[in-house]
Every structure is written in structure tokens, then in C-alpha cells.
Amino acid sequence: MILIVDDQVENIYSLNKLLKSWDFEVDTAQSGEEALKKVLKNDYALIILDVQMPGIDGFEVAETLSGYSKTKEIPIIFLTAVNTDKKFITKGYASGGIDYITKPVDPDILILKVRTFYRLYEQTVALNDSKEILKLEIEARKKAQQDLNDKVEHLHTTLESLPQIAFRADAFGNVFFVNKNWFDYSTDPAIYPEVHPDDITMEAVWEDCMQHLQPQEVELRIRELRSGAFRFHLLRIIPVKGEGGIKSWVGTFTDIDDQKQEERKKDEFLSIASHELKTPLTSIKAYIQLIERMEHKQPESKVATYIHRAHDQVSKLDGLINDLLDVSKIENGKLKINKKPFDMEKLIASVVETIQYTSAQPALRIERQGPLITGEIYGDAFRIEQILINFFTNAIKYSPGAEKIVLHTAKENDHIYIGVQDFGIGIPDHKKKNVFTKFYRVEESSVQFQGLGIGLYICAEIIKQHQGNYGVESTLGEGTTFYFTLPIS
Ligand code: ADP
């Protein structure tokens, strides 16, 4: 908007008309005082200011405007009497936007000047706006940088306070921060601790990180500088993601050596104990068989019943010891799998018969859903039978009073699926993933049902050695399905 300031109403009228005919918005003031009031209240792009006015004259108005930040940039065109006032015009006004025009006003020249100043004003406004935006942007960036620095500082303090060795590495695995514990294992922040020659190398760990771009967890031994001994550590490396991918990695080495030694001692004990128990048990079994044969002639006698029960208990004990032996074989990498072609249907039939024959719940039905598995499967029939018996035994054990169990089968192009579904107590969601780990038992049911928590662990290992998959689906209070798949070829 343009402000015309003149004490002569006729002048205001003609200027107003002229400017409006050029589509400018116009406001007017008839004195210096009125002009000052309006300028402080409204925004003007240009002021056309008569110099000679009663009261505050044009120069004084200009001088006052130059003192306010809001108004000092507004361009002014003075209207002066010919040649008299020109020499005063340049003084006192800070902005470059100043010009004059002599009376009587030549409309063409006035419009020319108005348009030039108007454009100048628009450009100044645009420039100021961009300056403001730029200023805000710089401030925002400074703030973001400061926040980032604070976060990094916070992270480093946290890493420093950890009992573990902690480090940060750039996107390519080059270390740029280590905490003080690092120096128990390496003298140089840029050099990783020495890894035992039999364990995975740091290069290989980083290759995995770069390939999968996922958190990594490995166990390895690193050499402690003070003792020179290699100690087991759990190395965890976690990516820090930002815009456009991984920005850096945070890693920790947690000392698990004591734990490992304990585990090793326990495994050794288990292995020795189960071997030692096995020998006398085999003798007991043999003697019971001998007595059974001698008692054969009086099958209804009390002695025969007791011997039968003793035989059952010895079989259970035998099963437990075999499981313990299997665990120690798995620990030592000695669980042997003898793969041969075998008939899966025959195996299923035999397992179902055994289960029905030995089950303490005679009313229990075993239903079958799914196609017959025709053709031979390549695997260790004895071990696969072990899995099925385990799944069935658990299904019966963990569904007291249930009437049926369903065996599901399916055959895909390259694998078969076998699942055992029960309608028993079920497993809480967050515990499902643990049931295949060694010695794990679901707490809620561990008092009511006896067991060692190793059956599923052995099953998982057998299935892994057959390159199959396994899993569990379960709803608490409704039932559970344990399943595995085996490749056909
Ligand atoms: P065990 O049965 O000897 O404890 P397993 O390794 O066979 O050991 O099973 C591990 C745990 O998984 C069990 O202790 C039990 O808590 C849970 N589990 C296994 N099978 C079932 C099932 N069919 N229903 C509910 N829970 C089960």
C-alpha cells in the first residue's frame, strides 16, 4: 500500500486517482502527525511525502521514520517546490530508497518512480523474508547439532559406566570410541582385542554385520593383557540407524568366561554321571528279564506284577539316562545321525501303536489329519521316532484328562510336515521361544508335571541335523501343536 501525505486535499485527490488507475492500493494523510500515526500502525510499501506542510513538515517526518526499525526501510518520494528543497533531501534518511519529484507533478515521471520503488520494496521484503528463514534455519541447525553433541556425550558417558568393554564404530566397522575397559584387552583404541585362533575372527563378524545390517551376537575368546589368558566373551554389535541407512555401530564384549567354565563342568558331570548310571542299570535290566522269564509260568502271581512294575520303572530310568547322554553328545558335537531311506508311514504307525499301548490314559484317541506320506524319506528313522515319541508323550503329559490328540501330516514339493496337536494346558506366548532350549521348563507347570526339560532340546538338535524346521503354536488353556518339517530329498 502507498501512503500519500499532503496538506492540500486537491493534491491528494489527483495523486490518489492517478495511482489507483495503475492498480496501486492507496492510503492518505493530511499532515505530518497523521502520517506518523498511520505509518506506525500500518505497513506501507512507499510514502509520497509533501515537504511543505504546516506543523511537522516532510523532512521531519522522514527523520522520525529513520529512527524506527519498522519504518526506516520504507522508500520515500518527496514532493518539493522547484529547486528550493532539493539540497535538504538526502540528509537524515538512512535507507537508499529516497527520491524527489518537483511540483507540479508530472504523472509519467511519478508513476515511473513509484513503480521502481514499489519493486524495490517488494524485493527488500522478499530478501528480508529469506534472511529470516535462513536465520531460523541456521538456528535450528545449531540447535540440532547441539542436541546431537549432547546425545553423543550422554551415550559415551553411559558406555563408560558399563562393566563391559564397549566401543563405537563407523558404518564400515572402524572403531572411533572405546571405553576404559577396552584397555584391559588392547593397547590401542583402533586395534581389536586378540581373538583365539579357533574362534570367529573380527573380520568375519564385521562381514556378517555388513551383509545382514542386523544386530549380531557371537561368542568368542579374547586375550586379557594382564593374565595373557583367553576369556570367553559375548560380543554384541548393534546398528545405529539414521536417515539413509546405518550411521554407526555400538558394540559390547561381555565377559562370560566364569559362566562358560561352570557350564563346562556341569556338562562334564552330566556326561560322567549318565555313563556311570548306565552300566549298573543295564545289569539291573538284564536281571529283571531273567527273573521275568523264571516267573513266566505263573503270570498272575504278585511277584510277576511287581517285576512288571520294576521293569516299567527301569525303562523310564533308561529313557532319562539316554536323554542325558544325548545332551552330553550334543554338547560335544557327537550326536550321530545315520541317514538312510525309510518309510515314514510305517514309523508313524509304530509310534502311534506304542503310545496307545503304553499310555496311562486308555480312553485317549489319536486322530489323524492329512495325507499319507508315501515314498521314502531320507533320515535317521530311530531319531525321527524319538522326536515323535517325545511330542506325543508331552502332548499326553501336558493335557491331563483330554480325550484326543491329533496327528497332522502334510506333503509339499520339497518337504513333509508332521505336527502333534493336543488340547491341554498350552504355553504362555512369551515362553514359547524358550521351550526348545536346554533344561528349560515352563515355570507355571513345572511343579505339577515332572520332567528334565531336555526332550525338546534333543528334538530340535535332531531336526537341525536333518536340515528341517521345527516350531510350536499354542494358546494358553486351549492346547499346543509341536511340529517339524523334513526335506524330502
Ligand atoms: P519336559 O517335558 O521333560 O519338562 P521338554 O523339553 O519335553 O521337557 O519340554 C520343555 C517344556 O516345554 C516343558 O517343561 C513344558 O513346560 C513345555 N511343554 C512341552 N510340551 C508341552 C505341551 N504339549 N503342552 C504344554 N507345555 C509343553
Side-chain angles (χ1 to χ4, degrees):
M1 192 153 58
I2 299 172
L3 178 66
I4 305 167
V5 189
D6 201 316
D7 56 324
Q8 307 286 321
V9 186
E10 328 69 82
N11 289 348
I12 288 187
Y13 177 77
S14 56
L15 284 175
N16 195 349
K17 207 164 153 208
L18 174 67
L19 292 173
K20 280 197 172 148
S21 73
W22 280 85
D23 285 340
F24 288 108
E25 265 188 83
V26 178
D27 194 6
T28 60
Q30 273 179 265
S31 68
E33 290 85 343
E34 190 187 352
L36 285 176
K37 270 188 211 150
K38 286 202 162 178
V39 166
L40 289 176
K41 223 161 62 187
N42 309 322
D43 286 330
Y44 296 105
L46 171 68
I47 303 172
I48 298 174
L49 188 56
D50 184 19
V51 173
Q52 282 182 322
M53 289 184 291
I56 304 178
D57 72 10
F59 294 140
E60 284 168 311
V61 172
E63 216 174 312
T64 312
L65 292 185
S66 73
Y68 295 107
S69 59
K70 178 174 186 271
T71 54
K72 69 176 185 217
E73 304 286 349
I74 308 175
I76 295 177
I77 298 176
F78 288 109
L79 301 177
T80 74
V82 191
N83 287 335
T84 49
D85 311 316
K86 270 190 290 181
K87 57 180 178 297
F88 300 108
I89 288 173
T90 47
K91 76 163 193 192
Y93 199 72
S95 85
I98 196 146
D99 204 343
Y100 68 94
I101 201 158
T102 50
K103 290 180 180 172
V105 172
D106 176 333
D108 291 339
I109 295 183
L110 179 73
I111 287 301
L112 208 69
K113 292 194 176 193
V114 165
R115 286 174 66 191
T116 309
F117 275 118
Y118 209 90
R119 215 174 302 129
L120 184 78
Y121 172 79
E122 279 174 343
Q123 282 167 358
T124 311
V125 169
L127 200 69
N128 285 347
D129 284 353
S130 341
K131 259 200 228 157
E132 196 52 36
I133 290 171
L134 213 63
K135 209 170 112 195
L136 289 176
E137 174 124 2
I138 290 171
E139 270 165 21
R141 281 186 187 208
K142 266 194 199 158
K143 167 103 179 36
Q145 185 62 42
Q146 187 55 42
D147 286 352
L148 196 69
N149 289 349
D150 289 351
K151 275 190 192 147
V152 168
E153 187 62 37
H154 185 254
L155 174 66
H156 286 184
T157 316
T158 311
L159 294 182
E160 203 57 75
S161 69
L162 291 180
Q164 287 105 327
I165 300 170
F167 62 91
R168 293 185 66 206
D170 66 15
F172 309 100
N174 305 307
V175 176
F176 63 85
F177 169 85
V178 297
N179 72 356
K180 61 179 184 312
N181 298 333
W182 179 273
F183 299 101
D184 293 339
Y185 285 81
S186 170
T187 48
D188 189 327
I191 299 174
Y192 283 103
E194 183 188 345
V195 177
H196 193 283
D198 293 344
D199 295 345
I200 185 169
T201 61
M202 283 309 296
E203 288 78 21
V205 173
W206 277 115
E207 254 171 49
D208 265 3
C209 290
M210 300 294 148
Q211 204 182 338
H212 303 294
L213 304 175
Q214 291 287 337
Q216 298 286 322
E217 233 182 63
V218 286
E219 286 183 8
L220 40 69
R221 282 163 289 178
I222 52 175
R223 193 200 287 280
E224 189 184 35
L225 294 179
R226 188 175 46 79
S227 63
F230 283 101
R231 291 183 66 81
F232 265 105
H233 280 75
L234 176 71
L235 168 61
R236 276 204 189 103
I237 304 183
I238 294 166
V240 180
K241 291 182 182 153
E243 257 172 57
I246 288 175
K247 295 281 169 230
S248 62
W249 300 81
V250 177
T252 53
F253 287 95
T254 308
D255 192 327
I256 51 166
D257 202 66
D258 293 345
Q259 229 168 296
K260 276 274 169 191
Q261 301 304 343
E262 290 297 317
E263 246 175 65
R264 199 177 47 77
K265 278 189 210 151
K266 193 183 67 202
D267 288 342
E268 259 173 35
F269 170 77
L270 266 183
S271 163
I272 294 167
S274 37
H275 271 106
E276 292 300 311
L277 289 170
K278 188 82 184 160
T279 322
L281 190 71
T282 313
S283 309
I284 295 171
K285 255 168 94 180
Y287 284 123
I288 289 180
Q289 270 165 10
L290 275 179
I291 301 170
E292 247 180 346
R293 265 181 233 152
M294 287 162 68
E295 279 295 312
H296 198 59
K297 287 157 205 135
Q298 300 140 301
E300 302 305 322
S301 77
K302 262 197 170 167
V303 178
T305 316
Y306 293 153
I307 288 173
H308 189 66
R309 285 187 197 158
H311 189 265
D312 278 356
Q313 294 305 318
V314 167
S315 295
K316 271 191 193 156
L317 196 55
D318 195 37
L320 288 174
I321 293 173
N322 281 339
D323 278 356
L324 285 175
L325 277 171
D326 279 348
V327 170
S328 61
K329 279 181 199 158
I330 293 172
E331 297 307 309
N332 301 319
K334 286 183 186 154
L335 186 81
K336 293 260 159 21
I337 298 289
N338 296 315
K339 289 188 193 165
K340 280 191 208 121
F342 70 94
D343 183 338
M344 183 57 104
E345 274 306 323
K346 259 194 193 159
L347 189 141
I348 290 176
S350 137
V351 169
V352 169
E353 198 184 309
T354 313
I355 292 295
Q356 266 167 340
Y357 178 66
T358 53
S359 166
Q361 287 165 253
L364 188 88
R365 274 180 290 121
I366 297 179
E367 284 178 11
R368 167 80 182 259
Q369 275 181 24
L372 290 180
I373 297 173
T374 50
E376 285 180 324
I377 297 295
Y378 189 66
D380 187 329
F382 170 73
R383 292 293 183 184
I384 303 292
E385 183 178 25
Q386 190 178 349
I387 300 173
L388 271 177
I389 290 184
N390 213 304
F391 281 8
F392 270 114
T393 321
N394 278 352
I396 296 170
K397 181 159 72 168
Y398 294 103
S399 54
E403 287 165 7
K404 67 169 180 181
I405 287 173
V406 183
L407 174 73
H408 295 268
T409 52
K411 197 171 175 188
E412 300 288 326
N413 288 340
D414 56 349
H415 69 268
I416 57 158
Y417 166 100
I418 296 183
V420 177
Q421 181 186 15
D422 66 52
F423 302 88
I425 59 170
I427 302 170
D429 258 349
H430 62 289
K431 300 204 165 165
K432 277 192 251 179
K433 66 175 191 310
N434 297 323
V435 293
F436 291 97
T437 51
K438 195 171 51 167
F439 300 127
Y440 184 83
R441 309 203 67 227
V442 175
E443 239 172 69
E444 288 84 338
S445 53
S446 60
V447 182
Q448 192 186 346
F449 303 97
Q450 285 178 347
L452 292 180
I454 52 178
L456 291 176
Y457 169 68
I458 298 168
C459 292
E461 184 62 27
I462 296 170
I463 299 163
K464 272 188 238 162
Q465 292 212 29
H466 280 83
Q467 284 75 46
N469 287 319
Y470 56 88
V472 55
E473 285 155 12
S474 185
T475 309
L476 203 60
E478 288 184 18
T480 307
T481 303
F482 277 96
Y483 64 86
F484 65 94
T485 66
L486 289 178
I488 285 174
S489 59

